[in-house]
Amino acid sequence: MKNILLLLLTFCCSVLQAQILTQTLYFDFGSQIVAQGTLTEGPDANNHYWNNITNNTTENKYAVAGTVYPSLVNAENIPTNYTLTLDTRFSTNGKSGGGGLLAPKAEDLGDLAIASATEDYFFIESGEDNSSFTFSNLDTQKGYKFYAFGSRKADDVRTAYYTMSGLNLYKGELQIAGKDCGGTGINQNIKNVCTSELIYPDNDGKIKFTISRKTGAYIALNVLRIEEYAGGERPEPAVDYTSLSISGTATEEGTDIPMHIVSADGTLTNVFELYTSLKTGEFSFKSITKEGKSVTWGAGNNDNVLVTDGSAITAAAIGEVLITVDLAKKTYTIVPIQEWSLVGSVTPGGWDQSKGVPLTYQGKSVWGGKVELNRVSGMSDRERFIFVMNKSWDYQMKRVKGTANEVALSTQGYTVEDININHGTYNVTLDLRNYVYYIDCGDGVDPYKISMMGSSVANGQGATSNQGYAYMYGEMLEGRFSDQVSTSPWFVSGISVNGNNTLNLLGRFNDLIHDCGEYVIFGLSLGNEGIHEATDKQATFDQFKANMQTLIQKARESGKYPLVTNSYTRGDFTASDYEFVKQMNMLIHEWNLPSVNLLGAIDNGSGQWADGYQVDGDIYHPTTEGHREFFYAMVPSLFDAIKAGKTLPQRVSGTSCSLKNGSYLEFTPENEVHPFTVSFKVKGGEAGTIASFVNAAAEGKLTVNKTGEIVYQSPVSGEILSKTGISDGEWHTISLVHYYAQGRTLLYVDNVLEGELKEKLTAGKFTLGDKSSNVERLYSELFFYRSAMNAEEIASLCEGDMLKSSLEIYTPLDGTKGSMENLAQSMNTVTLKSASTGLVPELTDVITVRGMKGSIVIDSLVETPVKIYTGEGRLVYEASVIGCTTVHNLAMGVYLVNGNKVVVK
């Protein structure tokens, strides 16, 4: 007995002596922003030195992917050759505002109880998962033990998975937050630490540390201690297997079924799984090694243990199951599947995993069904869902980030994300033989749905409750329908995602298909494309242009009608950035689709947000009022015009309209207008008024003075006198540009800027001509844009280019026609009137028109061709009329009778 005890003691001592602690390293993850974190500098209370792993700049919270933290020091402040590199982006936060652990206790955390280290943290956002960093240049002959601590004050349960992977792998979990998590009334972790086994670096000297979630939106890592041990025995590399299949009478199909290798990065992990259905009978496994050798696996002496050439395994669980095989450990598990269901903000039960929308097993690893997704979460971000098995958060199947429709379990090292979708009825299929999902429109494509697909600004970031310009436009469209101005129930469906650029939209194009709408507005900018940070700005510009064209083409191929917003400002744009933005917008103006000039709505003249319209401390996003300026740039009746068959306008040359004897042209912008550009050609230098507009109770005027110069008379205060005259008998282009956000009005004669005034206007009715004068002038090509235009755009317009962004009115002013046709994609009209009657001159003596309840009454002295259109452009009546004619059975709304507005009650 003494000899046995001596042998055991000798063995234990040899094991203890085999693993010798050689050094320890401490890491403080957090923020260098003063309000959010403090660096751990100098020796701490335990005389230890720390490595500070922080965000890159005090300007924002992010530690960007690719950041390298070199020459890490050990606890004695001795430099090592080890480095830490961020594989993905991390966010940072901390201190009291961020819920860090402010007062750690040594009796709880030992030498990790350093307040400057525990008070702040790295974290992954709700839309991120499996974020990682990698330690490099480690000693491959030594082992490393990790002690990870995470803590964040919050009521909801937040549980992290911390995974350390090198030659071998350890995965542990740690609850970092939750009600009473740290004791009664303490809603954060204060003492628990995730402690790993000894991890050996891979053959390149690397160990990857991955943070993923088991539960909760935001997952934190505050502190890390790494102990390095020498003297241990480095594990032998396992035999690698490239494939595995299940065979036998118990298989669903009675034949061999290939299993799926679980590998996020494509390496051979020796872990395989299969979602299937088992029948009564037996099964075994067949594998192929990397060298091509076939190996058969069967039952071992213990439950769930595999041995080579073992006997067949009797199927104990019948029905749908998840089979997982780990050939490195020579084990297998079988989990019965009660259900796969959809769980998320858009499902009727919300994020309660016990109340998901179930799918039905279809056979061959496929689940599917028709589902109603109708819950409104009230959250500011996208509505979304995930697949959950057996009502358990342990089995969350999500989309693999960067793919169209591939899925993986969130716990298996893949970078995954929730699946964005809006409310509706869908046919959903989850194919776990191929690890993909499909979503079809259960009720077909909605002809009135407008999908808004873009980035954070399109998502409303910066506006109160994220109700930005797209939301405002949707509200306006719904108001037009309820007020019976429009007969079409248009609505906007948001599918924008913060931070997106053209590459992201191409990667998640299926989000657009799944939104089941007929129209899409792409709302992106060169900012997210990286124009500001790029060393080769031209390459970034070219990428944006090419990818936007690809998105437009894909939308058309998918049966969608695409529209785009142009590029807009950012708080840090330089003069060079601004030039590229303006260049891109000039291209978009002339692309073969409708577009919105957002730049002219809120530009300060240098490419940044106008003063007072940027969110404080946020260079990327406009305020609510900034979003409102964007909204004003959108043509209200654009979609009515598209539905009515109005095509993109083409410029018409050689036409003109003579205004004399007090006749004039008149139009009123649809809805309220802030930024605008009104431009027209005029010939005739006699003194008098050439155009005017109403602004509140005052009137702004463009006049010609006695010496032939143009004078802009502000309705607020002041005037602009041009240096250029127009009394030479030639055509001249007059353009009045107003930047509401800047508070500036500019006057151009041809392409020359004649001057500017500081003012803010809310223009109403516009008039061309002079009601009070008999002077005759010729007018041609009237443009009205719901956005301000810069000097380059004005020059292009004067050169004859057709600029379409935010164009509400374009009429060539053809005096040979009975009405002034508006070729722009809007339902607005321009009316030719006389000073005495206010009626169209051609109709004054022969026809009168009156709108009645449900009808229009037409009185004509002579036979006159009459056409009546709805406000959406649909022809409802056409005939030659003489005498009194009543057109009955008309719905309430606005109609056009030979180009003149008539209201039916």
Side-chain angles (χ1 to χ4, degrees):
M1 178 63 71
K2 289 182 180 180
N3 289 336
I4 294 174
L5 289 174
L6 181 60
L7 285 171
L8 288 172
L9 181 61
T10 302
F11 173 76
C12 292
C13 290
S14 66
V15 170
L16 290 173
Q17 290 172 356
Q19 297 180 358
I20 302 170
L21 178 64
T22 56
Q23 61 179 336
T24 303
L25 290 84
Y26 293 85
F27 297 87
D28 172 7
F29 293 88
S31 176
Q32 58 176 302
I33 300 173
V34 173
Q36 296 180 352
T38 307
L39 301 182
T40 303
E41 298 179 308
D44 64 15
N46 304 301
N47 207 32
H48 295 154
Y49 288 82
W50 291 67
N51 298 279
N52 290 284
I53 312 300
T54 68
N55 50 335
N56 301 83
T57 172
T58 57
E59 297 298 319
N60 60 59
K61 66 180 181 179
Y62 300 115
V64 302
T67 302
V68 178
Y69 304 86
S71 301
L72 303 175
V73 300
N74 65 18
E76 298 175 2
N77 204 30
I78 298 172
T80 69
N81 291 324
Y82 307 156
T83 63
L84 185 155
T85 302
L86 301 185
D87 306 315
T88 57
R89 186 192 77 173
F90 285 89
S91 300
T92 64
N93 202 354
K95 287 195 173 177
S96 57
L101 181 59
L102 305 181
K105 297 179 181 179
E107 57 264 34
D108 292 330
L109 289 173
D111 61 358
L112 300 184
I114 305 299
S116 60
T118 62
E119 71 183 10
D120 55 356
Y121 49 84
F122 270 23
F123 72 97
I124 58 175
E125 305 270 5
S126 59
E128 300 171 335
D129 207 3
N130 293 298
S131 298
S132 66
F133 50 85
T134 299
F135 293 97
S136 302
N137 303 324
L138 301 175
D139 191 331
T140 57
Q141 298 306 310
K142 294 178 180 176
Y144 296 83
K145 192 171 186 178
F146 291 77
Y147 301 81
F149 175 74
S151 178
R152 205 290 188 199
K153 187 184 297 182
D155 292 343
D156 59 304
V157 175
R158 302 181 185 180
T159 303
Y161 285 124
Y162 296 137
T163 304
M164 294 120 261
S165 55
L167 184 64
N168 55 329
L169 178 147
Y170 175 82
K171 181 176 182 178
E173 69 177 68
L174 182 71
Q175 183 177 346
I176 63 174
K179 189 170 179 58
D180 300 329
C181 167
T184 304
I186 303 174
N187 300 335
Q188 66 186 126
N189 179 27
I190 62 171
K191 64 181 179 180
N192 295 323
V193 176
C194 176
T195 304
S196 77
E197 301 168 352
L198 210 58
I199 305 298
Y200 283 84
D202 63 18
N203 292 334
D204 295 323
K206 295 180 179 180
I207 294 177
K208 177 184 286 190
F209 190 104
T210 302
I211 302 174
S212 57
R213 68 173 47 79
K214 180 179 181 181
T215 57
Y218 306 98
I219 305 299
L221 174 67
N222 305 52
V223 173
L224 188 64
R225 181 176 75 223
I226 302 178
E227 295 175 346
E228 180 184 79
Y229 288 90
E233 185 175 348
R234 183 172 170 83
E236 288 293 327
V239 175
D240 288 328
Y241 295 88
T242 59
S243 66
L244 184 71
S245 60
I246 184 173
S247 61
T249 59
T251 65
E252 180 177 13
E253 296 157 51
T255 58
D256 290 2
I257 302 175
M259 299 183 69
H260 172 75
I261 185 169
V262 179
S263 176
D265 58 5
T267 58
L268 299 178
T269 61
N270 293 333
V271 178
F272 299 84
E273 67 183 15
L274 176 66
Y275 297 88
T276 188
S277 180
L278 289 178
K279 302 182 296 187
T280 301
E282 297 179 330
F283 63 89
S284 58
F285 301 101
K286 298 177 181 178
S287 64
I288 303 294
T289 69
K290 187 168 63 175
E291 294 74 26
K293 179 182 177 182
S294 297
V295 180
T296 300
W297 302 83
N301 293 326
N302 297 315
D303 291 343
N304 302 113
V305 173
L306 296 173
V307 294
T308 57
D309 299 321
S311 58
I313 302 166
T314 301
I318 306 303
E320 293 88 64
V321 294
L322 164 60
I323 304 173
T324 305
V325 175
D326 187 335
L327 293 180
K329 296 179 179 178
K330 299 180 177 60
T331 60
Y332 73 96
T333 59
I334 299 179
V335 177
I337 299 175
Q338 279 79 47
E339 71 172 34
W340 274 105
S341 61
L342 278 63
V343 176
S345 64
V346 76
T347 57
W351 287 104
D352 186 341
Q353 76 274 22
S354 68
K355 298 178 180 178
V357 180
L359 301 176
T360 303
Y361 188 60
Q362 311 287 327
K364 296 185 178 181
S365 309
V366 175
W367 282 259
K370 188 172 185 177
V371 299
E372 293 279 349
L373 304 180
N374 52 22
R375 182 174 180 270
V376 178
S377 68
M379 301 294 290
S380 61
D381 56 355
R382 286 290 314 280
E383 302 289 11
R384 59 195 193 276
F385 76 92
I386 60 175
F387 298 101
V388 173
M389 190 180 91
N390 292 351
K391 306 181 189 296
S392 171
W393 288 127
D394 290 336
Y395 302 99
Q396 302 177 49
M397 191 72 73
K398 302 184 179 185
R399 176 168 60 192
V400 178
K401 202 166 187 176
T403 68
N405 62 335
E406 296 178 21
V407 291
L409 285 179
S410 60
T411 57
Q412 293 178 334
Y414 296 86
T415 301
V416 295
E417 59 189 356
D418 297 346
I419 299 167
N420 294 324
I421 198 164
N422 286 346
H423 310 103
T425 302
Y426 303 94
N427 298 314
V428 178
T429 302
L430 178 63
D431 179 354
L432 293 181
R433 184 71 57 90
N434 298 296
Y435 286 77
V436 292
Y437 69 93
Y438 302 99
I439 300 176
D440 296 323
C441 302
D443 292 334
V445 172
D446 191 323
Y448 300 107
K449 178 183 279 192
I450 305 162
S451 301
M452 186 74 214
M453 189 179 197
S455 58
S456 57
V457 175
N459 197 35
Q461 193 78 13
T464 302
S465 302
N466 275 30
Q467 294 177 354
Y469 75 89
Y471 175 88
M472 296 174 186
Y473 191 67
E475 290 284 287
M476 183 273 298
L477 291 176
E478 292 179 20
R480 284 172 57 87
F481 178 69
S482 64
D483 294 340
Q484 297 189 327
V485 177
S486 169
T487 59
S488 298
W490 305 109
F491 67 102
V492 175
S493 174
I495 56 171
S496 297
V497 174
N498 295 1
N500 270 198
N501 57 25
T502 60
L503 295 171
N504 298 125
L505 261 61
L506 287 169
R508 65 178 187 90
F509 192 80
N510 272 0
D511 284 6
L512 174 59
I513 304 301
H514 299 159
D515 203 37
C516 303
E518 188 166 323
Y519 301 86
V520 57
I521 304 174
F522 293 116
L524 293 174
S525 175
L526 279 168
N528 276 12
E529 205 75 13
I531 195 71
H532 178 68
E533 298 81 6
T535 54
D536 187 346
K537 294 182 187 295
Q538 185 63 50
T540 301
F541 177 94
D542 293 341
Q543 172 182 289
F544 183 87
K545 179 176 70 173
N547 288 349
M548 285 300 300
Q549 291 288 349
T550 301
L551 284 166
I552 292 165
Q553 183 62 30
K554 285 173 67 70
R556 286 174 173 150
E557 290 171 353
S558 302
K560 313 291 182 185
Y561 190 110
L563 306 88
V564 298
T565 64
N566 65 16
S567 285
Y568 45 85
T569 53
R570 209 170 81 173
D572 60 351
F573 274 177
T574 63
S576 176
D577 302 333
Y578 188 38
E579 288 304 313
F580 277 104
V581 168
K582 290 191 291 184
Q583 183 183 343
M584 177 55 64
N585 290 350
M586 291 299 296
L587 290 176
I588 292 175
H589 264 299
E590 299 195 60
W591 283 356
N592 187 31
L593 78 170
S595 54
V596 182
N597 183 359
L598 298 184
L599 180 67
I602 203 169
D603 181 19
N604 73 346
S606 300
Q608 294 102 35
W609 307 109
D611 290 344
Y613 289 85
Q614 174 186 311
V615 174
D616 288 342
D618 182 354
I619 61 175
Y620 306 105
H621 301 111
T623 61
T624 298
E625 292 309 309
H627 277 278
R628 201 176 310 282
E629 294 305 300
F630 280 176
F631 155 64
Y632 286 135
M634 304 178 78
V635 175
S637 64
L638 172 60
F639 289 91
D640 288 331
I642 294 171
K643 182 172 179 286
K646 294 192 76 171
T647 57
L648 291 164
Q650 303 293 324
R651 284 197 76 158
V652 178
S653 60
T655 59
S656 65
C657 172
S658 173
L659 297 181
K660 58 184 177 179
N661 299 324
S663 62
Y664 59 96
L665 295 165
E666 184 179 272
F667 70 90
T668 301
E670 297 176 322
N671 290 31
E672 186 172 346
V673 63
H674 273 196
F676 69 83
T677 299
V678 61
S679 181
F680 55 89
K681 292 179 181 179
V682 65
K683 182 191 289 189
E686 295 83 354
T689 300
I690 57 173
S692 60
F693 63 91
V694 175
N695 184 77
E699 187 177 44
K701 289 186 177 182
L702 287 167
T703 63
V704 182
N705 65 13
K706 293 180 180 179
T707 54
E709 289 86 21
I710 300 295
V711 181
Y712 166 61
Q713 298 173 353
S714 168
V716 179
S717 177
E719 67 177 30
I720 302 172
L721 174 63
S722 74
K723 301 179 183 65
T724 305
I726 66 166
S727 57
D728 55 3
E730 300 295 330
W731 284 104
H732 292 276
T733 300
I734 311 300
S735 303
L736 191 68
V737 176
H738 180 60
Y739 288 92
Y740 183 91
Q742 288 186 42
R744 291 171 69 207
T745 301
L746 301 90
L747 173 65
Y748 290 85
V749 177
D750 299 319
N751 60 1
V752 177
L753 176 62
E754 299 291 348
E756 62 179 78
L757 288 177
K758 284 288 186 182
E759 59 183 2
K760 285 198 173 185
L761 306 174
T762 51
K765 184 186 297 182
F766 283 78
T767 300
L768 263 63
D770 191 344
K771 303 177 187 179
S772 61
S773 171
N774 291 326
V775 171
E776 180 179 4
R777 297 183 209 277
L778 292 177
Y779 289 82
S780 182
E781 288 201 287
L782 168 63
F783 295 86
F784 179 76
Y785 296 89
R786 298 184 64 88
S787 192
M789 301 180 84
N790 55 46
E792 291 88 341
E793 290 168 315
I794 294 296
S796 178
L797 198 64
C798 291
E799 290 169 4
D801 296 327
M802 183 73 238
L803 307 188
K804 300 185 293 292
S805 299
S806 295
L807 180 62
E808 183 174 320
I809 287 176
Y810 170 60
T811 173
L813 299 183
D814 187 347
T816 65
K817 295 184 177 181
S819 62
M820 296 298 141
E821 185 178 11
N822 177 18
L823 300 182
Q825 285 184 304
S826 94
M827 301 307 296
N828 205 349
T829 58
V830 178
T831 306
L832 176 62
K833 295 185 175 182
S834 70
S836 59
T837 66
L839 294 176
V840 180
E842 288 82 354
L843 299 182
T844 301
D845 298 326
V846 298
I847 187 171
T848 59
V849 180
R850 301 187 306 277
M852 308 295 286
K853 185 175 182 180
S855 64
I856 293 176
V857 177
I858 305 168
D859 287 305
S860 180
L861 299 178
V862 297
E863 186 172 357
T864 305
V866 174
K867 291 183 179 180
I868 302 177
Y869 291 88
T870 66
E872 286 73 34
R874 180 169 56 86
L875 181 67
V876 295
Y877 180 83
E878 182 178 10
S880 291
V881 173
I882 186 169
C884 182
T885 300
T886 302
V887 182
H888 294 283
N889 300 321
L890 297 177
M892 183 169 58
V894 178
Y895 292 80
L896 300 179
V897 181
N898 286 8
N900 295 275
K901 284 185 180 178
V902 177
V903 177
V904 173
K905 298 178 181 179

